[in-house]
């Protein structure tokens, strides 16, 4: 438990992003918005949610560590969000009655996580911590 609290203190924005993604993925309904008319707005939302979350993870990692451990970063800053995305899509499909899992959502999540990780990698390489 102490280790979890330490990670939350070290990575507060990442933790907040992850909690928000879980909440948004499992709430039973969404109100209508003016953006509903935009084609694929749902997929764009997934892409931005996961891209932003991964980018925040990479940014906070850079802030906390002098040297990047890219194996750890690839696991926690790219692979774990993708795995979380798969778990959430399965939960939507099999554990809720108001949501449904969607392969296209998973692909949008994967794409967002990949873009966020790539941008994070570029930022770490271009702006190393001194």
């Amino acid at each position: 438990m102490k280790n979890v609290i330490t990670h939350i203190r070290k990575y507060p924005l990442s933790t907040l992003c992850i909690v928000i993604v879980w909440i948004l993925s499992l709430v039973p309904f969404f109100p209508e918005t003016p953006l509903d008319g935009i084609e694929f707005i749902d997929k764009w939302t997934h892409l931005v949610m996961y891209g932003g979350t991964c980018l925040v993870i990479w940014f906070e990692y850079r802030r906390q560590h002098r040297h990047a451990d890219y194996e750890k970063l690839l696991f926690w800053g790219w692979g774990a969000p993708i795995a979380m995305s798969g778990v959430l899509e399965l939960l939507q499909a099999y554990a809720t009655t108001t949501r449904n899992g969607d392969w296209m959502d998973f692909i949008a999540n994967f794409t967002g996580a990949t873009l966020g990780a790539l941008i994070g990698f570029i930022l770490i390489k271009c702006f190393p911590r001194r």
Side-chain angles (χ1 to χ4, degrees), residues 25 40-44 46-47 50 82 84-94 96 98-111:
S25 296
F40 301 115
I41 190 64
D42 170 35
K43 306 314 175 223
W44 286 108
H46 283 262
L47 189 132
Y50 279 86
I82 291 170
M84 179 181 80
S85 158
V87 167
L88 284 169
E89 290 301 323
L90 290 171
L91 284 172
Q92 287 177 344
Y94 298 110
T96 67
T98 57
R99 305 295 299 268
N100 50 345
D102 182 2
W103 278 104
M104 291 305 290
D105 286 351
F106 180 75
I107 291 169
N109 298 340
F110 176 88
T111 303

Side-chain angles (χ1 to χ4, degrees), residues 15-102:
T15 303
L16 179 64
C17 286
I18 291 166
V19 167
I20 289 170
V21 167
W22 274 83
I23 290 169
L24 291 175
S25 296
L26 297 174
V27 294
F29 65 91
F30 284 100
E32 289 188 30
T33 70
L35 299 176
D36 287 341
I38 298 174
E39 194 169 359
F40 301 115
I41 190 64
D42 170 35
K43 306 314 175 223
W44 286 108
T45 303
H46 283 262
L47 189 132
V48 169
M49 271 191 336
Y50 279 86
T53 298
C54 286
L55 190 54
V56 168
I57 292 169
W58 282 68
F59 173 77
E60 283 194 316
Y61 182 89
R62 180 193 168 277
R63 191 185 68 185
Q64 291 293 330
H65 299 274
R66 198 175 243 348
H67 301 287
D69 180 345
Y70 291 106
E71 283 183 33
K72 253 188 199 176
L73 262 172
L74 279 176
F75 181 81
W76 292 110
W78 181 70
I82 291 170
M84 179 181 80
S85 158
V87 167
L88 284 169
E89 290 301 323
L90 290 171
L91 284 172
Q92 287 177 344
Y94 298 110
T96 67
T97 56
T98 57
R99 305 295 299 268
N100 50 345
D102 182 2

